[in-house]
Amino acid sequence: MFKHYLITRFNLKNKNWEVTKNNETLLTREWMTHRIGLFCNFCLPSVASQSNTKFEWLLFFDISTDSDFKDEIETLLKPYSHFKSFYIDGMDAFHSSIKNYIEEDSKGSQYIITSRIDNDDCIHKDYIGTIQEQFKSQNFMAIDVLKGYSLQISPEIMLGKKEHIFNPFISLIEKNEAPKTVWFSDHNMWKKESRRVEISDKRLWMSIIHEKNKVNEFDGYDNVDWDDIKTQFIVSETIEEKISKEIIPHKKWRKLSLKNKLYVNYVLASKKFKKALGLYKIK
């Protein structure tokens, strides 16, 4: 009845996105090497370990990607027949390329589900299954997973809870009639959408904070035991061992935790309040 696509952009050229938060140039060979490392340690193992495998993962790379990186990418994806790579001409071709593939691939399906994940983040092993549980033949419905975790991996390792409304892990259920897909708009623009439901009883995503993020900063809070969640968020063996050995005890960043908790909950409450009052323009 439906087909489900998880969609990731990787190194697509974007004239509006040229430097990291540390003012370093993006899409260099150094950036790509670092990003593939994050992908291998976090994103790829978490998606490859999904308990529900009835989905396709569409990954979009720039046509300018160097041949050695292409070879590495194809080797990484080869074991998974439902993971597919595309090489396109930058962000300007991104949405049309998604739609062109899905239009052809989903013939015969009445509905489609599209979900998004950034290439340096990871998802709970039941993420795909939980999203599909929300399917009730809706003609158009965004699925917003409010709760997750924030994991800083450098310069120190810290792990905390995180709430984020209209976040980068959003999904869209829609009737398969010229579907828009979840990428037709940036994730924070879903605040304008009235056809939206929230999942707030599970923590289904983990945002990875590192020195080459574009904008994200660590804002996790509370004492989260890595041993309690590492079987739910599958990462590489190397990074799992590193986190276990080097994670900073919560007692050493308790003040930051409290500050982050107040900030995260204030932002969440503020956005929910504005949404309830209709202060965001409804489509």
Side-chain angles (χ1 to χ4, degrees):
M1 181 172 287
F2 65 79
K3 294 205 71 171
H4 190 177
Y5 303 92
L6 181 66
I7 305 171
T8 297
R9 61 182 176 187
F10 208 98
N11 62 332
L12 301 180
K13 291 180 179 177
N14 186 343
K15 60 185 177 183
N16 297 318
W17 187 40
E18 297 178 348
V19 296
T20 69
K21 65 185 179 186
N22 294 325
N23 208 37
E24 299 171 326
T25 303
L26 288 166
L27 306 184
T28 61
R29 285 190 59 85
E30 179 187 4
W31 181 93
M32 190 66 172
T33 299
H34 180 261
R35 190 53 65 109
I36 289 179
L38 291 169
F39 179 72
C40 291
N41 280 319
F42 296 100
C43 193
L44 178 59
S46 77
V47 177
S49 300
Q50 288 298 295
S51 58
N52 181 331
T53 60
K54 295 179 180 179
F55 71 100
E56 288 187 16
W57 192 10
L58 314 182
L59 299 107
F60 290 84
F61 303 87
D62 203 89
I63 55 173
S64 64
T65 303
D66 291 343
S67 59
D68 56 332
F69 287 134
K70 285 184 178 180
D71 291 342
E72 184 174 3
I73 290 162
E74 297 308 315
T75 299
L76 289 170
L77 301 184
K78 187 175 181 180
Y80 312 102
S81 61
H82 56 309
F83 296 179
K84 303 182 184 299
S85 59
F86 302 84
Y87 295 87
I88 63 174
D89 192 8
M91 277 299 296
D92 288 343
F94 182 43
H95 190 230
S96 60
S97 297
I98 294 171
K99 292 186 69 174
N100 289 341
Y101 176 79
I102 290 178
E103 180 180 352
E104 183 64 28
D105 183 72
S106 65
K107 288 180 178 178
S109 298
Q110 291 180 279
Y111 297 88
I112 67 163
I113 305 174
T114 49
S115 303
R116 49 173 291 165
I117 182 174
D118 290 341
N119 58 45
D120 55 346
D121 290 330
C122 71
I123 49 179
H124 190 286
K125 66 179 184 179
D126 295 332
Y127 172 87
I128 291 292
T130 302
I131 296 301
Q132 292 186 11
E133 288 172 2
Q134 309 305 308
F135 177 76
K136 297 179 179 63
S137 301
Q138 302 97 321
N139 287 341
F140 192 96
M141 183 63 67
I143 313 298
D144 200 352
V145 183
L146 265 60
K147 294 182 178 181
Y149 296 99
S150 182
L151 173 65
Q152 177 179 288
I153 60 171
S154 62
E156 297 176 320
I157 298 177
M158 294 187 289
L159 171 66
K161 298 174 184 175
K162 173 71 183 287
E163 282 76 49
H164 189 181
I165 196 169
F166 321 126
N167 64 60
F169 300 89
I170 202 159
S171 295
L172 178 64
I173 299 170
E174 55 187 324
K175 199 163 187 179
N176 193 11
E177 296 176 355
K180 292 184 175 182
T181 84
V182 72
W183 274 101
F184 88 95
S185 181
D186 193 51
H187 66 86
N188 61 12
M189 296 305 292
W190 289 101
K191 64 189 178 184
K192 300 179 179 180
E193 178 56 63
S194 60
R195 297 163 293 179
R196 181 183 141 272
V197 296
E198 297 176 359
I199 297 176
S200 59
D201 60 338
K202 301 177 182 178
R203 295 189 180 273
L204 292 176
W205 47 262
M206 184 180 293
S207 181
I208 309 304
I209 309 302
H210 52 89
E211 68 274 13
K212 296 187 185 298
N213 280 123
K214 172 61 176 171
V215 293
N216 290 349
E217 302 284 352
F218 178 72
D219 52 7
Y221 69 87
D222 277 1
N223 186 11
V224 178
D225 190 336
W226 171 245
D227 287 337
D228 287 345
I229 69 169
K230 67 181 183 182
T231 59
Q232 307 300 313
F233 291 84
I234 308 303
V235 297
S236 70
E237 290 186 14
T238 299
I239 205 70
E240 190 276 317
E241 292 176 2
K242 180 178 176 64
I243 294 171
S244 296
K245 291 178 181 178
E246 300 179 16
I247 192 167
I248 303 297
H250 179 256
K251 62 183 180 181
K252 292 189 175 182
W253 58 281
R254 188 175 286 117
K255 288 184 179 179
L256 175 61
S257 175
L258 178 58
K259 177 183 175 182
N260 287 348
K261 186 172 186 177
L262 293 171
Y263 170 75
V264 167
N265 283 280
Y266 168 77
V267 172
L268 179 65
S270 176
K271 289 183 177 180
K272 283 196 166 191
F273 182 65
K274 291 178 180 178
K275 183 72 173 173
L277 290 180
L279 298 181
Y280 298 126
K281 183 180 179 182
I282 303 299
K283 291 184 178 180

